[in-house]
Amino acid sequence: MSSQTERIRRMTVPQLAARKGGEPIVSLTSYHAHTAAIVDKYADFILVGDSLGMVMHGMETTVGVPLDLMIMHGKAVVRGTKRALIVVDMPFGTYEESPNIAFRNAAKIMKETGCGAVKIEGGARMAETVHFLVERGIPVMAHTGLTPQSSHVMGGFKTQGRDEDTWKAHEDDAKAVAEAGAFALVLEGMVEPLAAKITKQVDIPTIGIGASVECDGQILVLEDMLGLNEWTPKFVKVYGDLGPQIEKAVSAYAEDVKARAFPTEDEVYR
Ligand code: KIV
């Protein structure tokens, strides 16, 4: 079936999965149409992460993020993009209870946003749900290691795998979601050799964030790498200084308003 509008060719889930061991996968988070349009030129996939609760909405953790908020931002990112695969996070409380509930909410996200996949946190304990969703047509990106939605159980945002005795559980988590059918796996906040080891053990691409350069790809929170947040995790390489630049622009604007130094009427609509 053809459409009169320009055909949009987005990265597909199988194309992304096929990048295992190949050219590193580039990904970033984005929550709005305008930033997503820029990221879209360079990223293989864009994650509408539930980190938006903390980054955009000032929440202390991601636990309070509602499903409707993810859908609203998901729609904006899909509208602003045309090439990257868009993955939307399932927020806390929308998938853990049962595979049926997970399916209902994942289907709602996919139908209402037009995204290509969802991401859920958790390893072996979520394997049954991953399988259930994938069997029913919902591509799932898994997320293990530091899982922010469990930060209350973990006692904060702590790097995982510092104690080698815990490695086997992390390895088992990764293998369980890969075997259940996840097409990719985010490894967050994990000691480097463990993330590298898991990357060799699973046959799906691993996407590192504060994990290892050996991962099959990397993801960062866009606002962190742009220097927009006052605080960023230690592992983040900051590529911009948007925070100070915005402040400079806002203070120049405030000065202009006070000095009545605004364009004359005939210059207003350029
Ligand atoms: O919510 C998010 O932004 C994420 C990334 C940090 C992987 O899950």
Side-chain angles (χ1 to χ4, degrees):
M1 207 164 52
S2 69
S3 144
Q4 287 185 325
T5 54
E6 187 194 342
R7 182 137 163 68
I8 294 172
R9 293 193 185 277
R10 284 189 186 272
M11 169 74 77
T12 65
V13 162
Q15 281 168 344
L16 197 94
R19 294 273 289 275
K20 174 74 189 174
E23 187 191 349
I25 294 167
V26 178
S27 59
L28 281 165
T29 63
S30 177
Y31 319 127
H32 342 84
H34 54 32
T35 55
I38 299 169
V39 173
D40 192 45
K41 296 179 194 163
Y42 304 95
D44 297 303
F45 79 88
I46 297 178
L47 175 68
V48 185
D50 62 352
S51 53
L52 64 81
M54 298 169 75
V55 174
M56 286 199 63
H57 295 276
M59 297 176 180
E60 292 248 318
T61 70
T62 55
V63 170
V65 175
L67 183 62
D68 286 349
L69 195 63
M70 295 307 303
I71 291 177
M72 193 173 80
H73 287 285
K75 279 182 188 169
V77 170
V78 170
R79 277 187 219 117
T81 56
K82 44 188 180 200
R83 335 170 19 255
L85 172 70
I86 309 301
V87 182
V88 176
D89 255 344
M90 294 193 73
F92 180 68
T94 64
Y95 62 93
E96 303 87 334
E97 196 176 340
S98 73
N100 284 316
I101 291 176
F103 179 79
R104 197 169 312 142
N105 288 322
K108 184 174 164 69
I109 292 175
M110 294 199 62
K111 281 184 189 199
E112 293 187 20
T113 66
C115 72
V118 297
K119 175 165 82 59
I120 66 176
E121 294 186 7
R125 71 189 159 85
M126 292 315 303
E128 186 194 350
T129 297
V130 172
H131 182 71
F132 192 90
L133 295 181
V134 175
E135 286 283 292
R136 285 159 184 77
I138 303 206
V140 179
M141 177 175 285
H143 180 160
T144 64
L146 194 174
T147 46
Q149 293 175 10
S150 313
S151 61
H152 291 300
V153 174
M154 289 176 157
F157 297 86
K158 294 190 175 150
T159 301
Q160 303 295 299
R162 286 203 197 283
D163 175 358
E164 221 170 305
D165 291 347
T166 65
W167 282 22
K168 179 158 184 328
H170 288 292
E171 292 172 41
D172 289 348
D173 274 344
K175 286 179 206 157
V177 288
E179 277 161 22
F183 70 92
L185 169 63
V186 170
L187 296 175
E188 177 168 359
M190 184 177 273
V191 292
E192 208 275 333
L194 174 58
K197 190 171 182 207
I198 289 174
T199 298
K200 289 199 186 83
Q201 287 172 343
V202 294
D203 59 6
I204 56 174
T206 59
I207 312 295
I209 171 161
S212 167
V213 288
E214 299 297 318
C215 289
D216 299 295
Q218 300 293 327
I219 186 163
L220 285 177
V221 169
L222 182 67
E223 284 76 358
D224 283 343
M225 61 84 90
L226 291 177
L228 197 53
N229 296 331
E230 267 177 29
W231 179 89
T232 50
K234 267 194 281 190
F235 60 80
V236 174
K237 182 169 172 187
V238 180
Y239 292 83
D241 68 340
L242 237 54
Q245 279 191 43
I246 290 175
E247 184 162 349
K248 204 168 143 204
V250 171
S251 77
Y253 165 76
E255 289 299 313
D256 276 359
V257 171
K258 287 178 198 157
R260 301 186 190 277
F262 256 47
T264 56
E265 221 169 79
D266 60 338
E267 291 169 341
V268 169
Y269 296 105
R270 278 179 284 187

